[in-house]
Amino acid sequence: MTHWIILPIILPALLAPFIVLAARYHIGIQRVLSTAGALAVIGLAAGQAWIAADGTVTLYQLGDWAAPFGIVLVADRLSTFMVLLTALLGFFVLLYAIGSKWDERGRHFHALFQFQMMGIIGAFLTGDLFNLFVFFEVLLIASYGLMIHSGGAVRLRAGVQYVLYNLLGSTLFLFALGAIYAETGTLNMADLAGRVQLIDAGDSVGIRVAAVLLILVFAVKAAVVPLHFWLPSSYAEAPGPVAALFAIMTKVGAYAIIRVYTLIFPPDLQVTAGLQGLWLMPAALISIAIGMIGILAARHLDRLVAYSVIGSMGMVMVSIALFTPEGIAAALYYIVHSTLAAAALFLIADMVRSGRADLALKAAPPVPGAPLIAGMFFVAAIAMVGLPPLSGFVGKLLVLDAAVASPLVVWIWAIILGTSLIGLVGFSRAGSTVFWKASSSPLPEDAEAPPAPSILAYVSVGGLLALLIALTIFAGPAYDYTTSIAAQLFEASDYITEVMETPGKLSGGAEGH
């Protein structure tokens, strides 16, 4: 049994308490440890993705106990793909937090950051629903600490709202787990895939209720309308690097829907037939509209970026709601694009905030480094809106192409294309107001000039934009890989066989796989 799978979870889990206990008063040591840990996680994630690229499913049995009795971690194409994306995002966000000195503005930033990474990566690698709930709670607790980092009444109020909505989701999650366990006697995903198939259509009320509760829980995490109310204030009021890290948080909900509703409740399953698309597609389309209208109506730059996250998640969920291999492949490509674009925009908004009194969309003295910041905003905005030639345009084409076979194809095309124009107007207005009109309002002579962003801040945003450009240049290979991920998801026999037939203590095997 290889121990490499658990290392991306164990490493931040060990670094966080070590930072608190041994380096709490030494910010330099914290930065070195945190950066080294982030680089190590990238290496581990890349190695696991390389192993999984040929379709290999790798299993880790904690305590060498066989499934479904023991806790298992599973590394397949989808999970390693998401872990690698998280690791890359976390590294650049960490660089920005260090360069902008956000990590000095409150207590325990680096420890909370490591716990957050542990929770997100664990959610992607776990092989059972109960531990998915556990990792959800780990990342929720850590994210609350990060949200209120450096304090403030407004930030605290937004943090309380964020926690209340997510606690509601956690409560629904527990109800769903109880219903599933009562119906099947297991929470292991691979085991559930087999047991749910055996439920008679006439006795499916309990499992259908559980399936609905689960999709509601994941929709809360993914900020799908009408369960999106927590996101605008929470993301807008969070510190810049924290909001950028949160760009992957909504993708945890999308990942969970993809995993559960292709493995446990696949589209062709009779007892839950139609549940996935009954309201998910309409909600996703409304999410796109709400997000893009929010961009146009926003009066602050951070709110504008927050609403763009809602719109991009709507795009992801439209593609997922098709529940076809083409739809899932397009959704995974768009997940990478929207995560990087949203993170870059949040960091750019923070760079603007450091040079202005606030982020209101009104003419103000130019911020230090305005030409370069404006250029980065221009690139990130083009990507988020979906204009050519960047990855947002490619991603939208893939989603539109995947939707051709849908009976709602006219609605999907009309809403995606129409709202793209609205988003373009909103971003254009914001960019021209913040950067172009700023030249007409020079800084008063007696005012002290704000400091320019650090080199590390530029490097971190530039790194995210470079990844977006690379995703555009290598769109063909990237889409081929997401297509292979989708194919593995819809042909789950290898996953189920690896998890259920690998020997462990309860199956008579002396050693694990």
Side-chain angles (χ1 to χ4, degrees), residues 193-422:
R195 297 198 183 195
V196 170
Q197 296 280 351
L198 302 177
I199 297 177
D200 186 80
D203 300 321
S204 63
V205 174
I207 202 67
R208 287 174 68 86
V209 169
V212 170
L213 288 176
L214 275 183
I215 206 166
L216 286 175
V217 171
F218 301 149
V220 170
K221 303 295 182 184
V224 177
V225 171
L227 305 172
H228 69 292
F229 297 106
W230 60 271
L231 190 146
S233 295
S234 301
Y235 280 38
E237 300 301 336
V242 174
L245 182 61
F246 283 6
I248 194 68
M249 294 266 287
T250 49
K251 310 310 186 294
V252 177
Y255 164 85
I257 291 176
I258 292 172
R259 176 69 76 189
V260 170
Y261 292 91
T262 56
L263 178 63
I264 302 173
F265 305 112
D268 58 352
L269 184 66
Q270 184 179 0
V271 297
T272 57
L275 284 182
Q276 300 97 324
L278 184 63
W279 66 271
L280 188 58
M281 178 63 80
L285 292 171
I286 296 173
S287 295
I288 297 176
I290 293 293
M292 294 302 148
I293 293 171
I295 290 173
L296 186 60
R299 296 184 178 181
H300 291 78
L301 187 59
D302 48 3
R303 289 266 176 171
L304 178 145
V305 181
Y307 274 104
S308 74
V309 172
I310 295 175
S312 67
M313 280 309 301
M315 185 73 64
V316 169
M317 297 310 299
V318 162
S319 197
I320 291 174
L322 297 171
F323 284 103
T324 61
E326 296 79 13
I328 298 298
L332 292 173
Y333 181 92
Y334 203 87
I335 280 174
V336 179
H337 151 76
S338 61
T339 300
L340 299 174
L345 283 169
F346 277 120
L347 296 184
I348 292 167
D350 190 71
M351 296 170 80
V352 173
R353 187 199 304 268
S354 65
R356 288 168 54 114
D358 55 44
L359 286 176
L361 296 178
K362 59 184 180 181
V367 298
L372 184 54
I373 297 174
M376 293 190 298
F377 178 84
F378 179 71
V379 174
I382 284 177
M384 181 60 81
V385 172
L387 291 179
L390 292 179
S391 54
F393 178 71
V394 178
K396 284 191 176 181
L397 284 181
L398 293 176
V399 174
L400 292 172
D401 183 61
V404 168
S406 171
L408 296 175
V409 59
V410 175
W411 283 100
I412 295 172
W413 276 59
I415 291 175
I416 289 177
L417 296 177
T419 54
S420 295
L421 178 60
I422 296 174

Side-chain angles (χ1 to χ4, degrees), residues 55-78:
T56 300
V57 179
T58 311
L59 179 70
Y60 183 82
Q61 300 167 327
L62 276 75
D64 200 23
W65 291 96
F69 308 101
I71 297 171
V72 296
L73 304 175
V74 187
D76 64 350
R77 284 174 177 151
L78 175 61

Side-chain angles (χ1 to χ4, degrees), residues 91-93 95-97 347 455-465:
F91 174 71
F92 287 111
V93 168
L95 286 186
Y96 185 89
L347 296 184
I455 297 298
L456 268 183
Y458 285 119
V459 168
S460 59
V461 177
L464 292 171
L465 295 180

Side-chain angles (χ1 to χ4, degrees), residues 35 59 160 164 375 455 478 492:
T35 304
L59 179 70
V160 170
L164 288 176
I455 297 298

